Amino acid sequence: DIQMTQSPSTLSASVGDRVTITCRASQSISSWLAWYQQKPGKAPKLLIYKASSLESGVPSRFSGSGSGTEFTLTISSLQPDDFATYYCQQYSSYITFGGGTKVEIK
Amino acid sequence: QVQLQESGPGLAGPSQTLSLTCTVSGGSISSGSYYWSWIRQPAGKGLEWIGRIYSSGSTKCNPSLKSRVTISLDTSKNQFSLKLNSVTAADTAVYYCARGRGSEGYYAFDIWGQGTMVTVSS
C-alpha cells in the first residue's frame, strides 16, 4: 500500500505568515492528492483536490502543488481561522491519509 | 445541499459486530458518480479509510480491514451502511461517512457527516 508522510507534524506560526506543509508518497501517485483541514471535534473539510485544484468556496490563500511523490500545501497569509490540523490524502491506489500537520499559534 | 448523517449504537462489545448507517439528504444516493465511503479516526490520531460503495453497488475496502468489513447500499431509504465484525478495542474511534467525488475510481471527499463515536468495551 502507499504510505503518505507529512512534515512537519507540528508547525508554530503567526497570523500573516506564509506556511508550507509537505506530503510525500512512498510511490508515484501522479496528481491524485487531496488536502483537508480539520478543527477539533469537526469533520475534515476538503481544501484542494487533484494536487492543485481549489475546492469551491475555499479562500484563495490556500494553494497546492506537486506531482509524483512530493506535494505541498501553502497558506499564503495565515489567518486566525486557519489554526487547525491539515491532512493529505492519496487516491491513486486505495486511499491513505498522511499523519497530519497541526498548525498552532506561535 | 447534500448532507450526510451517521447513526448507530455508540457501544459495541468485544468480538461483536459494529453497525452504522449513513443517511443522505438533499440528493439521491443512486444518481451521479459518487463513492460513498466510511472513514474512522481514533481519538487524537489520524484518519483511516475503511471502504466505499459506488452508486452502482460495487464495493472496495481497505485491505487491512477487508475480511471484517461489509458495506451495503439501500437506495429506497437513501442510506448506506457499514458492518465491522469481530471488533476489538482498537476499533474504538469516531466513524465518519463521506461522499467521494470523482470518476474512474479516483475521488476526494467533498461532503462529510459530523461523525459518530463508537466505543468497543464490555
Side-chain angles (χ1 to χ4, degrees):
Chain A
D1 55 340
I2 299 175
Q3 308 298 322
M4 305 300 293
T5 304
Q6 281 184 240
S7 60
S9 54
T10 306
L11 186 160
S12 297
S14 302
V15 172
D17 284 353
R18 181 181 181 87
V19 166
T20 299
I21 299 168
T22 298
C23 182
R24 289 186 174 88
S26 60
Q27 64 189 73
S28 178
I29 58 170
S30 184
S31 295
W32 302 118
L33 184 102
W35 289 97
Y36 299 85
Q37 176 193 68
Q38 186 179 34
K39 295 183 178 179
K42 300 292 187 182
K45 173 188 174 183
L46 178 64
L47 301 174
I48 302 285
Y49 62 96
K50 211 169 180 182
S52 60
S53 296
L54 190 68
E55 176 69 354
S56 177
V58 174
S60 58
R61 63 180 179 273
F62 291 92
S63 64
S65 64
S67 67
T69 62
E70 189 149 337
F71 303 84
T72 58
L73 172 71
T74 300
I75 309 172
S76 60
S77 178
L78 197 66
Q79 298 301 300
D81 191 48
D82 300 338
F83 292 97
T85 299
Y86 294 84
Y87 292 94
C88 62
Q89 172 227 328
Q90 70 80 19
Y91 50 105
S92 173
S93 175
Y94 293 93
I95 287 174
T96 48
F97 292 88
T101 295
K102 184 177 182 180
V103 177
E104 59 181 26
I105 300 172
K106 189 172 185 179
Chain B
Q1 72 278 22
V2 174
Q3 294 183 308
L4 281 61
Q5 176 70 58
E6 306 88 351
S7 60
L11 182 67
S15 78
Q16 294 188 343
T17 296
L18 178 162
S19 297
L20 295 173
T21 296
C22 182
T23 301
V24 179
S25 59
S28 172
I29 199 169
S30 56
S31 67
S33 299
Y34 296 115
Y35 300 83
W36 304 99
S37 296
W38 289 97
I39 295 155
R40 69 182 182 179
Q41 185 173 37
K45 297 190 177 180
L47 299 157
E48 180 180 35
W49 176 73
I50 299 170
R52 60 83 170 157
I53 187 163
Y54 188 55
S55 48
S56 67
S58 69
T59 59
K60 190 170 185 179
C61 296
N62 187 326
S64 68
L65 298 169
K66 186 178 180 180
S67 63
R68 300 196 290 133
V69 171
T70 302
I71 298 175
S72 59
L73 200 63
D74 187 338
T75 56
S76 67
K77 295 181 179 179
N78 226 33
Q79 297 175 334
F80 64 104
S81 298
L82 168 70
K83 290 188 186 299
L84 179 66
N85 58 37
S86 304
V87 297
T88 70
D91 295 310
T92 295
V94 174
Y95 285 74
Y96 294 100
C97 58
R99 186 181 82 169
R101 187 189 71 212
S103 62
E104 299 180 2
Y106 301 107
Y107 52 95
F109 302 109
D110 64 339
I111 300 175
W112 295 64
Q114 65 184 28
T116 189
M117 179 69 201
V118 179
T119 301
V120 178
S121 174
S122 56

